[in-house]
Amino acid sequence: MENLNQQIDFIMELDRLKAVQRRCRIKCDDNRFENSAEHSWHIALMAQVLSAYADEPVNLQRVVTMLLIHDIVEIDAGDTFAFDTAGQESTVGVEAEAADRIFGLLPEEQAQSYRTLWQEFEDAETADGRFAKAMDRMLPLLQNCRNEGGSWAEHSVRRSQVINRNEYLKGLTPRLWEYALSEIDQATDKGWLIRD
């Protein structure tokens, strides 16, 4: 029963992820801010749909699990805007501490397994980690392109910033990179990104 109680505590802690607002807006729902739980679900499904575009073999079950847990740390650390470079750098240690605390709610073996998988996503050095990271980068790009620039337009994001953030796709999923470039070009032509 002790393991079950720990697992239930972890599951109930995850409920708090629904209250973490991101900077992306959901056009289909009165343009409200997306929460991190919604984002995690969305990219997990996206990975399943787009897995054929990975240019190296990936274990889809591992990728989906990474995507479902990658933002759990935001329960403690909050969400940092993708183009806030200083904010991104300052949250690295905070997120690691959050991972230790939150995954530490689980029985030891499960805690270690999830913590290791979370770190694999963060490091993006394995095929699974790289593909998971690619999905995490691609979805906000698509959302902003379908929402008249969304957070890009709100925060005066430059084309070069979006290219640099998503260039990660180039070697990993060239077909998705080409698609992303065409979306970025259209967003720039429409004035949703600042042309550099």
Short mmCIF file of all heavy atoms in Angstrom, two decimals, residues 54-106:
data_model
loop_
_atom_site.label_atom_id
_atom_site.label_comp_id
_atom_site.label_asym_id
_atom_site.label_seq_id
_atom_site.Cartn_x
_atom_site.Cartn_y
_atom_site.Cartn_z
N ALA A 54 10.61 11.15 -38.39
CA ALA A 54 11.90 11.03 -37.71
C ALA A 54 12.86 10.31 -38.65
O ALA A 54 12.53 9.25 -39.18
CB ALA A 54 11.74 10.26 -36.41
N ASP A 55 14.02 10.90 -38.87
CA ASP A 55 14.98 10.29 -39.79
C ASP A 55 15.88 9.24 -39.13
O ASP A 55 16.74 8.67 -39.78
CB ASP A 55 15.84 11.38 -40.45
CG ASP A 55 15.21 11.90 -41.72
OD1 ASP A 55 14.01 11.65 -41.94
OD2 ASP A 55 15.92 12.55 -42.51
N GLU A 56 15.69 9.00 -37.86
CA GLU A 56 16.38 7.92 -37.18
C GLU A 56 15.35 7.15 -36.37
O GLU A 56 14.33 7.71 -35.97
CB GLU A 56 17.53 8.45 -36.31
CG GLU A 56 17.15 9.55 -35.35
CD GLU A 56 18.36 10.17 -34.66
OE1 GLU A 56 19.43 9.55 -34.61
OE2 GLU A 56 18.22 11.29 -34.18
N PRO A 57 15.57 5.87 -36.15
CA PRO A 57 14.58 5.08 -35.41
C PRO A 57 14.37 5.63 -34.00
O PRO A 57 15.32 5.99 -33.31
CB PRO A 57 15.22 3.68 -35.35
CG PRO A 57 16.25 3.66 -36.42
CD PRO A 57 16.72 5.07 -36.57
N VAL A 58 13.09 5.70 -33.60
CA VAL A 58 12.76 6.14 -32.25
C VAL A 58 11.80 5.14 -31.61
O VAL A 58 11.04 4.47 -32.31
CB VAL A 58 12.13 7.56 -32.22
CG1 VAL A 58 13.12 8.60 -32.68
CG2 VAL A 58 10.85 7.63 -33.03
N ASN A 59 11.88 5.06 -30.30
CA ASN A 59 10.96 4.24 -29.53
C ASN A 59 9.81 5.16 -29.13
O ASN A 59 9.93 5.99 -28.23
CB ASN A 59 11.68 3.68 -28.30
CG ASN A 59 10.78 2.85 -27.41
OD1 ASN A 59 9.58 3.11 -27.29
ND2 ASN A 59 11.35 1.86 -26.77
N LEU A 60 8.71 5.04 -29.83
CA LEU A 60 7.60 5.96 -29.67
C LEU A 60 7.03 5.96 -28.25
O LEU A 60 6.64 7.01 -27.74
CB LEU A 60 6.51 5.65 -30.70
CG LEU A 60 5.46 6.73 -30.90
CD1 LEU A 60 6.08 8.09 -31.20
CD2 LEU A 60 4.50 6.33 -32.01
N GLN A 61 7.01 4.81 -27.59
CA GLN A 61 6.51 4.77 -26.22
C GLN A 61 7.37 5.63 -25.31
O GLN A 61 6.86 6.39 -24.48
CB GLN A 61 6.45 3.34 -25.71
CG GLN A 61 5.89 3.25 -24.30
CD GLN A 61 5.74 1.83 -23.80
OE1 GLN A 61 5.90 0.89 -24.55
NE2 GLN A 61 5.45 1.69 -22.53
N ARG A 62 8.69 5.55 -25.46
CA ARG A 62 9.60 6.38 -24.65
C ARG A 62 9.41 7.86 -24.99
O ARG A 62 9.42 8.71 -24.10
CB ARG A 62 11.05 5.97 -24.89
CG ARG A 62 11.37 4.58 -24.36
CD ARG A 62 12.83 4.22 -24.54
NE ARG A 62 13.58 4.79 -23.40
CZ ARG A 62 14.43 5.82 -23.50
NH1 ARG A 62 14.69 6.37 -24.67
NH2 ARG A 62 15.05 6.27 -22.43
N VAL A 63 9.28 8.18 -26.27
CA VAL A 63 9.11 9.56 -26.70
C VAL A 63 7.83 10.14 -26.09
O VAL A 63 7.84 11.25 -25.53
CB VAL A 63 9.08 9.67 -28.24
CG1 VAL A 63 8.60 11.04 -28.70
CG2 VAL A 63 10.45 9.35 -28.83
N VAL A 64 6.75 9.40 -26.18
CA VAL A 64 5.46 9.88 -25.65
C VAL A 64 5.56 10.08 -24.13
O VAL A 64 5.08 11.08 -23.60
CB VAL A 64 4.32 8.92 -26.03
CG1 VAL A 64 3.06 9.21 -25.23
CG2 VAL A 64 4.04 9.02 -27.53
N THR A 65 6.20 9.16 -23.45
CA THR A 65 6.36 9.32 -22.00
C THR A 65 7.18 10.57 -21.69
O THR A 65 6.82 11.36 -20.80
CB THR A 65 7.00 8.07 -21.36
OG1 THR A 65 6.19 6.94 -21.66
CG2 THR A 65 7.12 8.22 -19.85
N MET A 66 8.26 10.79 -22.43
CA MET A 66 9.06 12.01 -22.24
C MET A 66 8.20 13.26 -22.40
O MET A 66 8.29 14.21 -21.62
CB MET A 66 10.19 12.09 -23.26
CG MET A 66 11.39 11.27 -22.95
SD MET A 66 12.64 11.56 -24.24
CE MET A 66 13.50 10.02 -24.15
N LEU A 67 7.38 13.26 -23.43
CA LEU A 67 6.56 14.43 -23.71
C LEU A 67 5.49 14.65 -22.65
O LEU A 67 5.14 15.78 -22.34
CB LEU A 67 5.95 14.32 -25.11
CG LEU A 67 6.98 14.39 -26.23
CD1 LEU A 67 6.34 14.09 -27.58
CD2 LEU A 67 7.69 15.73 -26.26
N LEU A 68 4.99 13.57 -22.10
CA LEU A 68 3.98 13.70 -21.05
C LEU A 68 4.57 14.19 -19.73
O LEU A 68 3.87 14.83 -18.94
CB LEU A 68 3.25 12.37 -20.84
CG LEU A 68 2.32 11.95 -21.98
CD1 LEU A 68 1.81 10.53 -21.76
CD2 LEU A 68 1.16 12.93 -22.13
N ILE A 69 5.87 13.93 -19.50
CA ILE A 69 6.48 14.33 -18.22
C ILE A 69 7.41 15.54 -18.35
O ILE A 69 7.80 16.10 -17.33
CB ILE A 69 7.25 13.16 -17.57
CG1 ILE A 69 8.48 12.78 -18.38
CG2 ILE A 69 6.33 11.98 -17.32
CD1 ILE A 69 9.43 11.82 -17.69
N HIS A 70 7.74 15.98 -19.55
CA HIS A 70 8.82 16.97 -19.70
C HIS A 70 8.54 18.30 -19.00
O HIS A 70 9.46 18.97 -18.55
CB HIS A 70 9.14 17.20 -21.18
CG HIS A 70 8.23 18.16 -21.87
ND1 HIS A 70 6.92 17.86 -22.18
CD2 HIS A 70 8.44 19.43 -22.29
CE1 HIS A 70 6.38 18.91 -22.78
NE2 HIS A 70 7.27 19.88 -22.86
N ASP A 71 7.28 18.71 -18.90
CA ASP A 71 6.96 19.99 -18.27
C ASP A 71 6.43 19.87 -16.85
O ASP A 71 6.03 20.87 -16.26
CB ASP A 71 5.93 20.76 -19.13
CG ASP A 71 6.59 21.56 -20.24
OD1 ASP A 71 7.81 21.81 -20.17
OD2 ASP A 71 5.88 21.95 -21.18
N ILE A 72 6.46 18.69 -16.28
CA ILE A 72 6.00 18.51 -14.90
C ILE A 72 6.73 19.45 -13.96
O ILE A 72 6.15 19.96 -13.00
CB ILE A 72 6.14 17.03 -14.46
CG1 ILE A 72 5.05 16.18 -15.14
CG2 ILE A 72 6.08 16.88 -12.96
CD1 ILE A 72 5.19 14.70 -14.90
N VAL A 73 7.98 19.74 -14.27
CA VAL A 73 8.78 20.62 -13.40
C VAL A 73 8.21 22.02 -13.32
O VAL A 73 8.50 22.77 -12.38
CB VAL A 73 10.25 20.68 -13.87
CG1 VAL A 73 10.90 19.30 -13.75
CG2 VAL A 73 10.36 21.21 -15.30
N GLU A 74 7.37 22.39 -14.27
CA GLU A 74 6.77 23.72 -14.26
C GLU A 74 5.78 23.91 -13.10
O GLU A 74 5.40 25.03 -12.79
CB GLU A 74 6.10 24.02 -15.60
CG GLU A 74 7.11 24.17 -16.72
CD GLU A 74 6.50 24.49 -18.07
OE1 GLU A 74 5.26 24.63 -18.15
OE2 GLU A 74 7.26 24.60 -19.04
N ILE A 75 5.40 22.82 -12.46
CA ILE A 75 4.58 22.92 -11.25
C ILE A 75 5.30 23.80 -10.23
O ILE A 75 4.70 24.65 -9.59
CB ILE A 75 4.27 21.52 -10.67
CG1 ILE A 75 3.31 20.76 -11.59
CG2 ILE A 75 3.72 21.63 -9.25
CD1 ILE A 75 3.13 19.29 -11.24
N ASP A 76 6.61 23.62 -10.11
CA ASP A 76 7.42 24.41 -9.19
C ASP A 76 8.09 25.60 -9.88
O ASP A 76 8.19 26.68 -9.30
CB ASP A 76 8.52 23.55 -8.55
CG ASP A 76 7.99 22.52 -7.58
OD1 ASP A 76 6.78 22.52 -7.28
OD2 ASP A 76 8.79 21.69 -7.12
N ALA A 77 8.57 25.39 -11.09
CA ALA A 77 9.41 26.39 -11.76
C ALA A 77 8.62 27.39 -12.59
O ALA A 77 9.14 28.44 -12.95
CB ALA A 77 10.45 25.69 -12.64
N GLY A 78 7.37 27.07 -12.92
CA GLY A 78 6.60 27.92 -13.82
C GLY A 78 7.07 27.76 -15.25
O GLY A 78 8.05 27.08 -15.53
N ASP A 79 6.35 28.40 -16.16
CA ASP A 79 6.71 28.36 -17.57
C ASP A 79 7.52 29.60 -17.91
O ASP A 79 7.18 30.70 -17.49
CB ASP A 79 5.45 28.31 -18.45
CG ASP A 79 5.79 28.28 -19.92
OD1 ASP A 79 6.49 27.34 -20.35
OD2 ASP A 79 5.37 29.21 -20.65
N THR A 80 8.58 29.42 -18.64
CA THR A 80 9.42 30.53 -19.09
C THR A 80 9.22 30.69 -20.59
O THR A 80 9.29 29.71 -21.33
CB THR A 80 10.91 30.27 -18.78
OG1 THR A 80 11.04 30.02 -17.38
CG2 THR A 80 11.77 31.46 -19.16
N PHE A 81 8.99 31.91 -21.02
CA PHE A 81 8.78 32.19 -22.44
C PHE A 81 9.98 31.70 -23.24
O PHE A 81 11.14 31.92 -22.87
CB PHE A 81 8.56 33.69 -22.65
CG PHE A 81 8.20 34.09 -24.05
CD1 PHE A 81 7.21 33.43 -24.75
CD2 PHE A 81 8.86 35.14 -24.67
CE1 PHE A 81 6.86 33.80 -26.05
CE2 PHE A 81 8.53 35.53 -25.96
CZ PHE A 81 7.53 34.86 -26.65
N ALA A 82 9.72 31.04 -24.34
CA ALA A 82 10.76 30.42 -25.16
C ALA A 82 11.84 31.40 -25.61
O ALA A 82 12.99 31.01 -25.79
CB ALA A 82 10.12 29.76 -26.38
N PHE A 83 11.48 32.66 -25.78
CA PHE A 83 12.44 33.63 -26.30
C PHE A 83 13.00 34.54 -25.21
O PHE A 83 13.61 35.56 -25.50
CB PHE A 83 11.80 34.42 -27.44
CG PHE A 83 11.40 33.51 -28.58
CD1 PHE A 83 10.08 33.12 -28.73
CD2 PHE A 83 12.36 33.00 -29.43
CE1 PHE A 83 9.72 32.24 -29.74
CE2 PHE A 83 12.00 32.12 -30.45
CZ PHE A 83 10.69 31.74 -30.61
N ASP A 84 12.82 34.15 -23.97
CA ASP A 84 13.41 34.85 -22.83
C ASP A 84 14.70 34.11 -22.48
O ASP A 84 14.72 33.22 -21.64
CB ASP A 84 12.43 34.85 -21.65
CG ASP A 84 13.00 35.46 -20.38
OD1 ASP A 84 14.16 35.92 -20.39
OD2 ASP A 84 12.28 35.47 -19.37
N THR A 85 15.80 34.47 -23.15
CA THR A 85 17.07 33.76 -23.00
C THR A 85 17.55 33.75 -21.55
O THR A 85 17.95 32.71 -21.04
CB THR A 85 18.14 34.38 -23.91
OG1 THR A 85 17.60 34.47 -25.23
CG2 THR A 85 19.39 33.55 -23.95
N ALA A 86 17.53 34.90 -20.90
CA ALA A 86 17.99 34.97 -19.51
C ALA A 86 17.12 34.11 -18.61
O ALA A 86 17.62 33.40 -17.74
CB ALA A 86 17.99 36.42 -19.03
N GLY A 87 15.81 34.16 -18.83
CA GLY A 87 14.89 33.35 -18.05
C GLY A 87 15.13 31.86 -18.24
O GLY A 87 15.09 31.08 -17.29
N GLN A 88 15.39 31.46 -19.48
CA GLN A 88 15.66 30.05 -19.78
C GLN A 88 16.90 29.57 -19.03
O GLN A 88 16.91 28.49 -18.46
CB GLN A 88 15.86 29.85 -21.30
CG GLN A 88 14.63 30.04 -22.14
CD GLN A 88 13.63 28.92 -21.98
OE1 GLN A 88 13.96 27.79 -21.63
NE2 GLN A 88 12.38 29.22 -22.23
N GLU A 89 17.95 30.38 -19.03
CA GLU A 89 19.20 30.00 -18.36
C GLU A 89 19.02 29.92 -16.85
O GLU A 89 19.58 29.04 -16.20
CB GLU A 89 20.31 30.98 -18.73
CG GLU A 89 20.75 30.88 -20.17
CD GLU A 89 21.74 31.97 -20.58
OE1 GLU A 89 22.24 32.70 -19.69
OE2 GLU A 89 22.01 32.07 -21.79
N SER A 90 18.24 30.83 -16.30
CA SER A 90 18.10 30.88 -14.84
C SER A 90 17.21 29.76 -14.30
O SER A 90 17.24 29.48 -13.10
CB SER A 90 17.56 32.24 -14.40
OG SER A 90 16.22 32.40 -14.79
N THR A 91 16.42 29.12 -15.13
CA THR A 91 15.51 28.08 -14.63
C THR A 91 16.12 26.68 -14.63
O THR A 91 15.51 25.76 -14.09
CB THR A 91 14.20 28.03 -15.46
OG1 THR A 91 14.52 27.72 -16.82
CG2 THR A 91 13.45 29.33 -15.36
N VAL A 92 17.30 26.50 -15.22
CA VAL A 92 17.88 25.16 -15.33
C VAL A 92 17.99 24.49 -13.96
O VAL A 92 17.52 23.37 -13.77
CB VAL A 92 19.25 25.21 -16.05
CG1 VAL A 92 19.94 23.85 -16.00
CG2 VAL A 92 19.08 25.66 -17.49
N GLY A 93 18.60 25.15 -12.99
CA GLY A 93 18.76 24.57 -11.66
C GLY A 93 17.43 24.41 -10.94
O GLY A 93 17.20 23.41 -10.25
N VAL A 94 16.54 25.38 -11.12
CA VAL A 94 15.22 25.33 -10.48
C VAL A 94 14.44 24.13 -11.00
O VAL A 94 13.78 23.42 -10.23
CB VAL A 94 14.45 26.65 -10.72
CG1 VAL A 94 13.03 26.57 -10.19
CG2 VAL A 94 15.19 27.82 -10.11
N GLU A 95 14.52 23.91 -12.30
CA GLU A 95 13.80 22.77 -12.89
C GLU A 95 14.38 21.44 -12.43
O GLU A 95 13.63 20.49 -12.18
CB GLU A 95 13.80 22.87 -14.41
CG GLU A 95 12.90 23.98 -14.92
CD GLU A 95 12.76 24.00 -16.43
OE1 GLU A 95 13.53 23.30 -17.14
OE2 GLU A 95 11.86 24.72 -16.92
N ALA A 96 15.70 21.36 -12.28
CA ALA A 96 16.32 20.12 -11.79
C ALA A 96 15.86 19.82 -10.37
O ALA A 96 15.55 18.67 -10.03
CB ALA A 96 17.84 20.22 -11.87
N GLU A 97 15.80 20.85 -9.53
CA GLU A 97 15.30 20.66 -8.16
C GLU A 97 13.84 20.24 -8.17
O GLU A 97 13.42 19.40 -7.38
CB GLU A 97 15.46 21.96 -7.36
CG GLU A 97 16.89 22.28 -6.99
CD GLU A 97 17.01 23.60 -6.26
OE1 GLU A 97 15.98 24.14 -5.78
OE2 GLU A 97 18.14 24.11 -6.18
N ALA A 98 13.06 20.85 -9.07
CA ALA A 98 11.65 20.48 -9.17
C ALA A 98 11.50 19.03 -9.61
O ALA A 98 10.65 18.30 -9.09
CB ALA A 98 10.94 21.41 -10.16
N ALA A 99 12.34 18.60 -10.55
CA ALA A 99 12.29 17.20 -11.00
C ALA A 99 12.59 16.26 -9.83
O ALA A 99 11.91 15.24 -9.65
CB ALA A 99 13.29 16.98 -12.14
N ASP A 100 13.61 16.60 -9.04
CA ASP A 100 13.94 15.77 -7.88
C ASP A 100 12.76 15.68 -6.91
O ASP A 100 12.42 14.60 -6.44
CB ASP A 100 15.16 16.33 -7.15
CG ASP A 100 16.44 16.20 -7.96
OD1 ASP A 100 16.50 15.37 -8.90
OD2 ASP A 100 17.40 16.94 -7.65
N ARG A 101 12.13 16.81 -6.63
CA ARG A 101 11.03 16.83 -5.67
C ARG A 101 9.81 16.07 -6.18
O ARG A 101 9.26 15.20 -5.50
CB ARG A 101 10.61 18.26 -5.33
CG ARG A 101 9.49 18.28 -4.26
CD ARG A 101 8.83 19.63 -4.09
NE ARG A 101 7.91 19.98 -5.15
CZ ARG A 101 6.67 19.50 -5.29
NH1 ARG A 101 6.19 18.58 -4.47
NH2 ARG A 101 5.89 19.91 -6.28
N ILE A 102 9.40 16.41 -7.40
CA ILE A 102 8.14 15.86 -7.91
C ILE A 102 8.26 14.37 -8.22
O ILE A 102 7.41 13.58 -7.80
CB ILE A 102 7.65 16.67 -9.12
CG1 ILE A 102 7.37 18.12 -8.69
CG2 ILE A 102 6.40 16.03 -9.72
CD1 ILE A 102 7.20 19.10 -9.84
N PHE A 103 9.31 13.98 -8.95
CA PHE A 103 9.47 12.56 -9.22
C PHE A 103 9.80 11.79 -7.95
O PHE A 103 9.49 10.61 -7.82
CB PHE A 103 10.55 12.32 -10.29
CG PHE A 103 10.17 12.87 -11.63
CD1 PHE A 103 10.99 13.79 -12.28
CD2 PHE A 103 9.00 12.50 -12.25
CE1 PHE A 103 10.64 14.31 -13.53
CE2 PHE A 103 8.62 13.02 -13.48
CZ PHE A 103 9.46 13.93 -14.12
N GLY A 104 10.37 12.50 -6.96
CA GLY A 104 10.67 11.89 -5.67
C GLY A 104 9.44 11.49 -4.87
O GLY A 104 9.55 10.78 -3.87
N LEU A 105 8.27 11.94 -5.30
CA LEU A 105 7.03 11.51 -4.65
C LEU A 105 6.73 10.04 -4.94
O LEU A 105 6.02 9.39 -4.18
CB LEU A 105 5.85 12.36 -5.14
CG LEU A 105 5.90 13.86 -4.78
CD1 LEU A 105 4.78 14.61 -5.51
CD2 LEU A 105 5.81 14.05 -3.28
N LEU A 106 7.28 9.54 -6.03
CA LEU A 106 7.04 8.15 -6.46
C LEU A 106 7.91 7.17 -5.68
O LEU A 106 8.93 7.56 -5.11
CB LEU A 106 7.36 8.01 -7.95
CG LEU A 106 6.37 8.65 -8.92
CD1 LEU A 106 7.00 8.79 -10.31
CD2 LEU A 106 5.10 7.82 -9.00
#
